[in-house]
Amino acid sequence: MSGSQTRILLATDGSLASFHAAERAVHLAEHLRAKLYVLYAVDKDRAFHGGMHYGEHLQKLRTAAEEATEKVAALAAKHGVESEKHIVEGGRPARTILWTAEEVGADYIMMGAEGMSRLESLMIGSEAQEVLRKAKCTVLLVGGQRSPDDPMLREPVRPDLKSVDQPS
């Protein structure tokens, strides 16, 4: 990284795993004084498989994208982190993530990783795996259960998340 501002691309899909990654991306951006690029890759191919309701399904994906990126942008603003939202419509999300990382000159790509069995991974493929293999910058994957003692989470944005993935 040169003397310019560090750039972190966070790929979100609105899932719990991607929000965990968002919390950590904001923390990292805050400490590095980095700019956070928040990306939601709208998979138009997936919407197309919705059949004759393509337009309706695509609009739902666009709405989900706006909500997910706004949620992360609000978190970033709360912590004084500069952010920029990107909603990109394309094909496979991994390709969109890699393209956007190149476009913004990302130093890091951060994303949540859902657990997937070997068979699922072989049959479907994993967006995170493809990004990890093909990225020209460092990729940070966030997975596992969210620990309430995580030092990166001084002030959880949604305390209710603890009850979702932590046993009582």
Side-chain angles (χ1 to χ4, degrees):
M1 288 178 267
S2 65
S4 64
Q5 185 180 30
T6 301
R7 298 169 184 188
I8 299 171
L9 175 67
L10 170 75
T12 184
D13 62 4
S15 69
L16 187 60
S18 70
F19 190 72
H20 291 177
E23 290 176 311
R24 282 145 183 92
V26 167
H27 176 83
L28 186 61
E30 183 179 12
H31 287 282
L32 294 176
R33 294 185 175 92
K35 182 170 181 178
L36 182 64
Y37 295 85
V38 184
L39 170 68
Y40 190 107
V42 176
D43 186 349
K44 288 176 74 172
D45 293 343
R46 191 173 101 196
F48 179 73
H49 293 296
M52 56 191 234
H53 302 288
Y54 172 74
E56 185 180 310
H57 191 60
L58 186 57
Q59 188 54 46
K60 284 181 183 178
L61 287 173
R62 288 175 179 148
T63 300
E66 192 59 47
E67 290 171 1
T69 55
E70 184 55 42
K71 184 177 181 179
V72 177
L75 175 61
K78 180 178 180 178
H79 290 276
V81 171
E82 179 185 3
S83 69
E84 187 176 297
K85 299 183 304 181
H86 291 261
I87 298 172
V88 179
E89 295 182 15
R92 295 230 11 219
R95 291 184 192 139
T96 303
I97 293 165
L98 293 165
W99 177 82
T100 305
E102 289 284 321
E103 286 295 304
V104 302
D107 299 293
Y108 299 99
I109 298 171
M110 290 187 73
M111 55 193 300
E114 297 281 353
M116 195 181 276
S117 73
R118 279 192 140 159
L119 181 59
E120 288 172 318
S121 186
L122 287 171
M123 290 174 61
I124 302 166
S126 164
E127 301 301 321
Q129 285 178 1
E130 185 173 342
V131 171
L132 193 57
R133 275 194 326 271
K134 295 181 178 179
K136 295 179 181 172
C137 63
T138 300
V139 177
L140 303 169
L141 299 178
V142 176
Q145 291 191 353
R146 183 175 189 259
S147 167
D149 301 324
D150 188 332
M152 290 182 85
L153 304 174
R154 311 186 298 270
E155 181 186 338
V157 176
R158 290 184 47 206
D160 61 310
L161 289 179
K162 185 171 86 172
S163 63
V164 171
D165 56 2
Q166 294 292 323
S168 300

